[in-house]
Short mmCIF file of all heavy atoms in Angstrom, two decimals:
data_model
loop_
_atom_site.label_atom_id
_atom_site.label_comp_id
_atom_site.label_asym_id
_atom_site.label_seq_id
_atom_site.Cartn_x
_atom_site.Cartn_y
_atom_site.Cartn_z
N VAL A 1 -27.85 6.68 -5.00
CA VAL A 1 -27.88 7.74 -3.94
C VAL A 1 -28.35 7.23 -2.60
O VAL A 1 -27.76 7.45 -1.57
CB VAL A 1 -28.66 8.94 -4.34
CG1 VAL A 1 -28.96 9.91 -3.20
CG2 VAL A 1 -28.01 9.65 -5.48
N THR A 2 -29.36 6.41 -2.65
CA THR A 2 -29.92 5.76 -1.39
C THR A 2 -28.81 4.86 -0.79
O THR A 2 -28.58 4.78 0.43
CB THR A 2 -31.20 4.98 -1.61
OG1 THR A 2 -32.15 5.92 -2.07
CG2 THR A 2 -31.69 4.38 -0.40
N ALA A 3 -28.18 4.04 -1.64
CA ALA A 3 -27.14 3.16 -1.11
C ALA A 3 -25.97 3.91 -0.56
O ALA A 3 -25.38 3.50 0.43
CB ALA A 3 -26.66 2.25 -2.30
N ALA A 4 -25.61 5.09 -1.25
CA ALA A 4 -24.50 5.90 -0.68
C ALA A 4 -24.85 6.35 0.72
O ALA A 4 -24.01 6.44 1.67
CB ALA A 4 -24.21 7.01 -1.59
N ASN A 5 -26.06 6.81 0.89
CA ASN A 5 -26.50 7.25 2.24
C ASN A 5 -26.41 6.19 3.28
O ASN A 5 -25.93 6.35 4.35
CB ASN A 5 -28.00 7.81 2.07
CG ASN A 5 -28.51 8.27 3.41
OD1 ASN A 5 -27.75 8.62 4.30
ND2 ASN A 5 -29.85 8.29 3.56
N ASP A 6 -26.98 4.94 2.90
CA ASP A 6 -26.96 3.88 3.88
C ASP A 6 -25.52 3.33 4.18
O ASP A 6 -25.26 2.92 5.23
CB ASP A 6 -27.81 2.72 3.32
CG ASP A 6 -29.23 3.01 3.22
OD1 ASP A 6 -29.70 3.92 3.98
OD2 ASP A 6 -29.96 2.42 2.45
N GLY A 7 -24.59 3.52 3.21
CA GLY A 7 -23.33 2.94 3.40
C GLY A 7 -22.19 3.88 3.79
O GLY A 7 -21.05 3.54 3.92
N LEU A 8 -22.55 5.20 3.96
CA LEU A 8 -21.56 6.22 4.21
C LEU A 8 -20.75 5.98 5.43
O LEU A 8 -19.52 6.16 5.47
CB LEU A 8 -22.23 7.59 4.26
CG LEU A 8 -21.26 8.80 4.41
CD1 LEU A 8 -20.39 8.80 3.13
CD2 LEU A 8 -22.06 10.04 4.54
N GLU A 9 -21.38 5.47 6.46
CA GLU A 9 -20.57 5.24 7.74
C GLU A 9 -19.44 4.24 7.51
O GLU A 9 -18.46 4.27 8.16
CB GLU A 9 -21.47 4.76 8.86
CG GLU A 9 -22.11 3.39 8.68
CD GLU A 9 -23.30 3.34 7.88
OE1 GLU A 9 -23.63 4.29 7.17
OE2 GLU A 9 -23.99 2.30 7.95
N LEU A 10 -19.58 3.31 6.53
CA LEU A 10 -18.58 2.35 6.35
C LEU A 10 -17.30 2.96 5.75
O LEU A 10 -16.20 2.50 6.05
CB LEU A 10 -19.06 1.21 5.41
CG LEU A 10 -20.22 0.36 5.97
CD1 LEU A 10 -20.70 -0.62 4.97
CD2 LEU A 10 -19.82 -0.30 7.28
N LEU A 11 -17.55 4.00 4.91
CA LEU A 11 -16.36 4.67 4.33
C LEU A 11 -15.51 5.39 5.40
O LEU A 11 -14.29 5.60 5.19
CB LEU A 11 -16.88 5.67 3.23
CG LEU A 11 -17.64 5.03 2.14
CD1 LEU A 11 -18.11 6.13 1.18
CD2 LEU A 11 -16.84 3.99 1.39
N ALA A 12 -16.15 5.82 6.46
CA ALA A 12 -15.50 6.66 7.46
C ALA A 12 -14.79 5.78 8.53
O ALA A 12 -13.94 6.25 9.29
CB ALA A 12 -16.46 7.54 8.17
N ARG A 13 -15.12 4.42 8.57
CA ARG A 13 -14.52 3.62 9.60
C ARG A 13 -13.12 3.25 9.37
O ARG A 13 -12.71 3.01 8.18
CB ARG A 13 -15.35 2.34 9.77
CG ARG A 13 -16.76 2.57 10.34
CD ARG A 13 -17.29 1.26 10.86
NE ARG A 13 -16.43 0.71 11.85
CZ ARG A 13 -16.17 -0.65 11.93
NH1 ARG A 13 -16.84 -1.45 11.18
NH2 ARG A 13 -15.41 -1.07 12.88
N ARG A 14 -12.29 3.17 10.36
CA ARG A 14 -10.93 2.67 10.23
C ARG A 14 -10.98 1.15 10.47
O ARG A 14 -11.68 0.63 11.30
CB ARG A 14 -9.98 3.35 11.34
CG ARG A 14 -9.84 4.82 11.18
CD ARG A 14 -9.16 5.12 9.88
NE ARG A 14 -8.90 6.53 9.76
CZ ARG A 14 -7.69 7.05 9.97
NH1 ARG A 14 -6.66 6.32 10.30
NH2 ARG A 14 -7.46 8.33 9.83
N VAL A 15 -10.16 0.40 9.62
CA VAL A 15 -10.10 -1.00 9.81
C VAL A 15 -8.70 -1.44 10.04
O VAL A 15 -7.74 -0.75 9.68
CB VAL A 15 -10.75 -1.74 8.62
CG1 VAL A 15 -12.19 -1.47 8.47
CG2 VAL A 15 -9.94 -1.42 7.33
N PRO A 16 -8.48 -2.61 10.62
CA PRO A 16 -7.08 -3.03 10.84
C PRO A 16 -6.36 -3.20 9.50
O PRO A 16 -6.98 -3.42 8.40
CB PRO A 16 -7.27 -4.42 11.52
CG PRO A 16 -8.66 -4.42 11.95
CD PRO A 16 -9.45 -3.54 11.12
N ALA A 17 -4.97 -3.20 9.61
CA ALA A 17 -4.21 -3.30 8.38
C ALA A 17 -4.32 -4.64 7.70
O ALA A 17 -4.14 -4.77 6.55
CB ALA A 17 -2.72 -2.98 8.73
N ASP A 18 -4.70 -5.65 8.54
CA ASP A 18 -4.75 -6.99 7.99
C ASP A 18 -6.11 -7.38 7.45
O ASP A 18 -6.37 -8.53 7.09
CB ASP A 18 -4.25 -8.06 8.98
CG ASP A 18 -5.15 -8.01 10.27
OD1 ASP A 18 -6.00 -7.02 10.38
OD2 ASP A 18 -5.10 -8.91 11.13
N GLY A 19 -7.03 -6.45 7.32
CA GLY A 19 -8.26 -6.67 6.65
C GLY A 19 -9.48 -6.16 7.43
O GLY A 19 -9.34 -5.65 8.49
N PRO A 20 -10.64 -6.26 6.76
CA PRO A 20 -11.83 -5.71 7.45
C PRO A 20 -12.39 -6.60 8.48
O PRO A 20 -11.97 -7.74 8.64
CB PRO A 20 -12.79 -5.62 6.16
CG PRO A 20 -12.37 -6.72 5.34
CD PRO A 20 -10.87 -6.81 5.43
N TRP A 21 -13.34 -5.98 9.23
CA TRP A 21 -14.03 -6.82 10.26
C TRP A 21 -14.81 -7.92 9.57
O TRP A 21 -15.32 -7.76 8.53
CB TRP A 21 -14.95 -5.85 11.11
CG TRP A 21 -14.22 -4.83 11.90
CD1 TRP A 21 -14.28 -3.48 11.70
CD2 TRP A 21 -13.29 -5.10 12.95
NE1 TRP A 21 -13.41 -2.91 12.63
CE2 TRP A 21 -12.77 -3.88 13.35
CE3 TRP A 21 -12.80 -6.29 13.55
CZ2 TRP A 21 -11.86 -3.73 14.38
CZ3 TRP A 21 -11.84 -6.14 14.57
CH2 TRP A 21 -11.43 -4.89 14.94
N THR A 22 -15.02 -8.93 10.34
CA THR A 22 -15.92 -10.00 9.84
C THR A 22 -17.09 -10.17 10.80
O THR A 22 -16.89 -10.03 12.02
CB THR A 22 -15.16 -11.38 9.70
OG1 THR A 22 -14.62 -11.70 11.01
CG2 THR A 22 -14.03 -11.29 8.69
N VAL A 23 -18.20 -10.40 10.22
CA VAL A 23 -19.42 -10.62 11.07
C VAL A 23 -20.14 -11.84 10.47
O VAL A 23 -20.65 -11.82 9.36
CB VAL A 23 -20.40 -9.42 10.98
CG1 VAL A 23 -21.58 -9.64 11.88
CG2 VAL A 23 -19.65 -8.16 11.47
N GLY A 24 -20.10 -12.96 11.22
CA GLY A 24 -20.67 -14.20 10.66
C GLY A 24 -20.07 -14.63 9.43
O GLY A 24 -20.69 -15.20 8.60
N GLY A 25 -18.74 -14.35 9.28
CA GLY A 25 -18.07 -14.92 8.01
C GLY A 25 -18.05 -13.94 6.92
O GLY A 25 -17.56 -14.16 5.86
N LEU A 26 -18.82 -12.77 7.06
CA LEU A 26 -18.83 -11.78 6.04
C LEU A 26 -18.09 -10.52 6.37
O LEU A 26 -18.20 -10.14 7.55
CB LEU A 26 -20.31 -11.42 5.68
CG LEU A 26 -21.22 -12.46 5.28
CD1 LEU A 26 -22.67 -11.98 5.20
CD2 LEU A 26 -20.89 -12.99 3.86
N ASP A 27 -17.35 -9.93 5.47
CA ASP A 27 -16.84 -8.68 5.82
C ASP A 27 -17.93 -7.64 5.80
O ASP A 27 -18.90 -7.82 5.16
CB ASP A 27 -15.61 -8.22 4.87
CG ASP A 27 -16.13 -7.84 3.49
OD1 ASP A 27 -16.78 -6.80 3.38
OD2 ASP A 27 -15.77 -8.55 2.55
N GLU A 28 -17.77 -6.56 6.56
CA GLU A 28 -18.83 -5.74 6.81
C GLU A 28 -19.38 -5.03 5.66
O GLU A 28 -20.58 -4.71 5.43
CB GLU A 28 -18.51 -4.71 7.97
CG GLU A 28 -19.73 -4.19 8.67
CD GLU A 28 -19.37 -3.58 9.93
OE1 GLU A 28 -18.73 -4.24 10.81
OE2 GLU A 28 -19.72 -2.43 10.16
N THR A 29 -18.50 -4.62 4.70
CA THR A 29 -18.97 -3.98 3.46
C THR A 29 -19.76 -5.01 2.72
O THR A 29 -20.84 -4.62 2.07
CB THR A 29 -17.73 -3.63 2.64
OG1 THR A 29 -16.94 -2.70 3.39
CG2 THR A 29 -18.16 -2.90 1.33
N GLU A 30 -19.36 -6.26 2.65
CA GLU A 30 -20.16 -7.29 1.93
C GLU A 30 -21.48 -7.48 2.60
O GLU A 30 -22.57 -7.74 1.94
CB GLU A 30 -19.32 -8.52 1.85
CG GLU A 30 -19.98 -9.66 1.08
CD GLU A 30 -19.21 -10.95 1.12
OE1 GLU A 30 -18.09 -10.88 1.66
OE2 GLU A 30 -19.71 -12.02 0.70
N ALA A 31 -21.50 -7.42 3.98
CA ALA A 31 -22.78 -7.69 4.67
C ALA A 31 -23.80 -6.65 4.31
O ALA A 31 -24.97 -6.98 4.39
CB ALA A 31 -22.45 -7.70 6.22
N VAL A 32 -23.38 -5.44 4.08
CA VAL A 32 -24.29 -4.41 3.72
C VAL A 32 -24.79 -4.50 2.30
O VAL A 32 -25.92 -4.35 1.92
CB VAL A 32 -23.64 -3.00 3.85
CG1 VAL A 32 -24.56 -1.92 3.45
CG2 VAL A 32 -23.33 -2.82 5.38
N THR A 33 -23.78 -4.80 1.33
CA THR A 33 -24.08 -4.78 -0.09
C THR A 33 -24.81 -6.10 -0.52
O THR A 33 -25.57 -6.10 -1.47
CB THR A 33 -22.91 -4.49 -0.92
OG1 THR A 33 -21.90 -5.47 -0.65
CG2 THR A 33 -22.32 -3.12 -0.60
N GLN A 34 -24.44 -7.31 0.09
CA GLN A 34 -25.09 -8.47 -0.23
C GLN A 34 -26.55 -8.43 0.06
O GLN A 34 -26.96 -7.95 1.05
CB GLN A 34 -24.38 -9.62 0.52
CG GLN A 34 -25.08 -10.98 0.25
CD GLN A 34 -24.41 -12.08 1.11
OE1 GLN A 34 -23.24 -11.90 1.45
NE2 GLN A 34 -25.11 -13.08 1.39
N SER A 35 -27.33 -9.04 -0.88
CA SER A 35 -28.76 -9.13 -0.54
C SER A 35 -28.96 -10.26 0.50
O SER A 35 -28.80 -11.42 0.25
CB SER A 35 -29.52 -9.50 -1.82
OG SER A 35 -30.88 -9.60 -1.54
N LEU A 36 -29.33 -9.78 1.68
CA LEU A 36 -29.57 -10.76 2.76
C LEU A 36 -30.81 -11.58 2.55
O LEU A 36 -30.91 -12.69 3.05
CB LEU A 36 -29.70 -10.01 4.15
CG LEU A 36 -28.41 -9.51 4.67
CD1 LEU A 36 -28.69 -8.58 5.87
CD2 LEU A 36 -27.46 -10.55 5.09
N GLY A 37 -31.75 -11.01 1.78
CA GLY A 37 -32.92 -11.77 1.53
C GLY A 37 -34.03 -11.58 2.66
O GLY A 37 -33.67 -11.39 3.78
N PRO A 38 -35.26 -11.68 2.30
CA PRO A 38 -36.33 -11.46 3.26
C PRO A 38 -36.40 -12.60 4.26
O PRO A 38 -37.05 -12.49 5.31
CB PRO A 38 -37.61 -11.35 2.43
CG PRO A 38 -37.27 -12.15 1.22
CD PRO A 38 -35.80 -11.90 0.97
N ALA A 39 -35.89 -13.80 3.96
CA ALA A 39 -35.94 -14.91 4.85
C ALA A 39 -34.54 -15.47 4.99
O ALA A 39 -33.73 -15.50 4.08
CB ALA A 39 -36.96 -15.98 4.26
N PRO A 40 -34.24 -16.06 6.16
CA PRO A 40 -32.89 -16.54 6.43
C PRO A 40 -32.44 -17.77 5.65
O PRO A 40 -31.28 -18.07 5.50
CB PRO A 40 -32.86 -16.84 7.98
CG PRO A 40 -34.27 -17.07 8.25
CD PRO A 40 -35.12 -16.21 7.34
N ASP A 41 -33.45 -18.55 5.16
CA ASP A 41 -33.11 -19.76 4.45
C ASP A 41 -32.81 -19.48 2.98
O ASP A 41 -32.59 -20.44 2.17
CB ASP A 41 -34.25 -20.79 4.57
CG ASP A 41 -35.58 -20.28 4.02
OD1 ASP A 41 -35.58 -19.10 3.54
OD2 ASP A 41 -36.60 -20.99 4.17
#
């Protein structure tokens, strides 16, 4: 339920027909669901 709350805005976004947005090599859905970890290394 918490994850649904945090990710709801992604469901409402429109994306191009050729694929999702990329941010630093990650698609935005993956960037939210992937564990970024507490440290960048």
Side-chain angles (χ1 to χ4, degrees):
V1 166
T2 300
N5 179 22
D6 292 338
L8 185 60
E9 70 274 15
L10 296 176
L11 301 178
R13 288 196 60 216
R14 295 297 186 103
V15 296
D18 58 350
W21 295 115
T22 58
V23 182
L26 298 173
D27 73 69
E28 204 163 302
T29 303
E30 184 183 353
V32 175
T33 57
Q34 176 182 335
S35 177
L36 287 170
D41 59 2

